[in-house]
């Protein structure tokens, strides 16, 4: 079955255009709203977008995904808006402008789960009336740096102090990388223009001069392209093994790793560091009480090095009505590493909502 995906957008009250993608009829009995994590995009949910209509029926579910500000195809996040509270407001905009009044199953991965908790804190009236069920995937209700990267918890205080500085430095590095890319693209454009000028001069110049102009233009273009390729290969070679180990669990699908790397590559430095800082401040265990009367599934991998399983256990302890699912060998990108399991958990929630 081919899923017809409609891509559109919605503008937030502060003027940021969010990329929104929809599959399924507007009058479906339930909408599953998939909200991605930090440095990811709607594409991280591609398995669920494809499979949910196959499991529930193409007319039985509407699937909506959107890119957070500063991620994917959405506009950059203006200064001062890289906050979880802002993401909660963006969520309310998507609910009002795209999802509509029908029942919603919310699935939030990592920062997407934190967005749900921020919304529960700021807009508790949305829960039960509109959001009828929730899946919290590889996320936390607070203490983000606790045990991160497999470090002993005695290092947590130092990690909390140092992490923002490291991430801001990485963000500045990303901005410098983007600036270098822009320069390389400008060099390539100038080389192409030189080539075009050489072609235009062919009718008026001698064969030898034309050949020389073409050779110089072609050489400049080739040099610029080669430099860009070398930079890209070097960056990928340095980043991919380390990031794969930190973000994914055992034996990930290389195509899923490629997808994650591609999403990470387009995140602006300001979003990279700014959203990490707001997640460090995230502490909303009390907001989970808003979810007590809803069906909730908590899903986590045993090899999640960004957010170790203790984060899932803490959510489960504060929300005893929820069901906790732990997946051996899986890392942080659970919906890409265990797509079938995550999809079936979401389908189960959707059936409960419309039963």
């Amino acid at each position: 079955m081919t899923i017809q995906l409609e891509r559109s957008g919605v503008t937030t009250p502060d003027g940021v255009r969010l990329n929104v993608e929809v599959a399924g009829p507007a009058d479906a009995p339930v909408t599953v709203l998939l909200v991605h994590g930090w440095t990811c995009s709607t594409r991280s949910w591609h398995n669920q977008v494809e499979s949910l209509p196959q499991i529930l029926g193409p007319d039985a579910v509407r699937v909506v995904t959107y890119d957070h500000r500063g991620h994917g195809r959405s506009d950059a996040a203006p200064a001062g808006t890289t906050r979880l509270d802002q993401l909660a407001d963006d969520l309310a905009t998507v609910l009002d402008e795209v999802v509509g009044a029908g029942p919603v199953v919310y699935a939030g991965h990592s920062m997407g789960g934190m967005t749900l908790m921020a919304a529960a804190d700021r807009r508790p009236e949305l829960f039960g009336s509109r959001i009828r069920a929730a899946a919290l995937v590889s996320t936390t209700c607070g203490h983000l740096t606790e045990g991160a990267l497999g470090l002993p918890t005695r290092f947590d205080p130092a990690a909390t102090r140092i992490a923002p500085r490291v991430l801001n430095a990485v963000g500045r590095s990303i901005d410098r990388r983007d600036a270098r890319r822009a320069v390389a693209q400008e060099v390539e454009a100038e080389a192409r223009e030189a080539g075009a000028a050489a072609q235009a001069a062919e009718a008026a110049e001698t064969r030898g001069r034309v050949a020389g102009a073409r050779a110089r233009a072609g050489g400049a273009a080739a040099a610029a392209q080669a430099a860009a390729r070398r930079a890209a290969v070097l960056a990928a070679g340095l980043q991919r093994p380390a990031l794969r180990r930190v973000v994914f669990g055992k034996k990930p699908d290389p195509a899923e790793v490629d997808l994650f790397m591609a999403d990470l590559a387009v995140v602006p430095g300001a979003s990279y560091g700014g959203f990490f800082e707001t997640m460090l401040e995230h502490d909303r265990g009390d907001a989970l009480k808003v979810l007590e009367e809803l069906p909730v599934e908590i899903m986590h991998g045993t090899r999640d090095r960004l957010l170790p399983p203790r984060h899932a256990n803490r959510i489960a302890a504060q929300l005893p009505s929820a069901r906790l699912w732990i997946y051996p060998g899986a890392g942080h990108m659970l919906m890409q590493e265990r797509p079938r399991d995550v999809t079936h958990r979401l389908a189960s929630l959707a059936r409960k909502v419309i039963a």
Side-chain angles (χ1 to χ4, degrees), residues 28-50:
V30 63
T31 295
V32 177
L33 178 60
L34 306 172
V35 184
H36 69 77
W38 179 56
T39 76
C40 298
S41 79
T42 59
R43 299 192 303 168
S44 62
W45 292 104
H46 72 97
N47 294 296
Q48 289 68 42
V49 172
E50 183 73 23

Side-chain angles (χ1 to χ4, degrees), residues 10-18 20 33 66-70 74-75 77-78 81-98 115 119 122-123 275:
V10 63
T11 302
T12 66
D14 65 336
V16 175
R17 187 72 171 171
L18 302 179
V20 180
L33 178 60
Y66 69 97
D67 288 323
H68 291 300
R69 59 179 58 210
S74 289
D75 287 351
T81 69
T82 54
R83 315 293 299 170
L84 283 172
D85 286 349
Q86 179 63 64
L87 297 187
D89 292 342
D90 291 348
L91 164 62
T93 298
V94 172
L95 286 172
D96 290 341
E97 301 295 330
V98 180
T115 299
R122 292 169 65 82
R123 298 285 302 277
F275 282 115

Side-chain angles (χ1 to χ4, degrees), residues 32-328:
V32 177
L33 178 60
L34 306 172
V35 184
H36 69 77
W38 179 56
T39 76
C40 298
S41 79
T42 59
R43 299 192 303 168
S44 62
W45 292 104
H46 72 97
N47 294 296
Q48 289 68 42
V49 172
E50 183 73 23
S51 298
L52 278 168
Q54 296 176 356
I55 294 172
L56 295 171
D59 297 325
V61 63
R62 188 181 188 215
V63 183
V64 177
T65 62
Y66 69 97
D67 288 323
H68 291 300
R69 59 179 58 210
H71 290 73
R73 295 173 180 265
S74 289
D75 287 351
T81 69
T82 54
R83 315 293 299 170
L84 283 172
D85 286 349
Q86 179 63 64
L87 297 187
D89 292 342
D90 291 348
L91 164 62
T93 298
V94 172
L95 286 172
D96 290 341
E97 301 295 330
V98 180
V99 175
V104 175
V105 173
Y106 182 104
H109 169 246
S110 192
M111 190 171 75
M114 299 179 218
T115 299
L116 180 71
M117 297 175 212
D121 193 27
R122 292 169 65 82
R123 298 285 302 277
E125 73 278 2
L126 294 174
F127 294 81
S129 60
R130 301 181 70 183
I131 297 175
R132 305 281 185 87
L136 300 173
V137 183
S138 307
T139 190
T140 181
C141 60
H143 307 282
L144 180 75
T145 58
E146 183 178 296
L149 305 180
L151 296 174
T153 55
R154 66 178 180 274
F155 294 118
D156 289 346
T160 301
R161 293 194 306 272
I162 295 170
R165 298 180 218 167
V166 173
L167 267 293
N168 282 330
V170 172
R172 290 191 295 272
S173 176
I174 291 171
D175 287 337
R176 289 194 295 271
R177 175 204 67 191
D178 292 343
R180 288 194 296 270
R181 282 181 180 172
V183 170
Q185 289 169 354
E186 185 174 343
V187 169
E188 289 189 46
E190 290 178 356
R192 287 194 297 270
E193 289 177 5
Q199 291 177 351
E202 186 171 2
E205 298 292 335
T206 65
R207 186 182 298 271
R209 289 181 180 177
V210 170
R214 282 178 172 170
R216 288 192 298 274
Q225 291 170 355
R229 282 196 298 270
R230 286 195 300 271
V233 169
L234 178 61
L238 291 173
Q239 292 182 27
R240 185 183 176 96
L243 285 173
R244 181 179 61 192
R245 177 174 172 78
V246 170
V247 177
F248 289 85
K250 291 183 177 179
K251 298 180 180 178
D253 183 340
E256 299 291 355
V257 179
D258 289 343
L259 190 153
F260 170 80
M261 294 295 294
D263 283 344
L264 175 63
V266 299
V267 175
S271 291
Y272 189 89
F275 282 115
F276 186 81
E277 284 197 38
T278 192
M279 289 190 294
L280 283 178
E281 299 167 356
H282 171 65
D283 186 7
R284 290 184 169 87
D286 290 343
L288 293 171
K289 294 177 182 178
V290 176
L291 307 179
E292 285 179 340
E293 301 302 319
L294 307 183
V296 176
E297 308 274 2
I298 305 165
M299 291 173 267
H300 221 95
T302 60
R303 293 176 68 88
D304 188 335
R305 293 181 176 86
L306 289 178
L307 294 174
R310 63 170 59 93
H311 289 276
N313 293 331
R314 180 181 292 118
I315 294 173
Q318 296 191 262
L319 192 59
S321 60
R323 295 201 300 177
L324 174 61
W325 303 86
I326 299 294
Y327 295 95

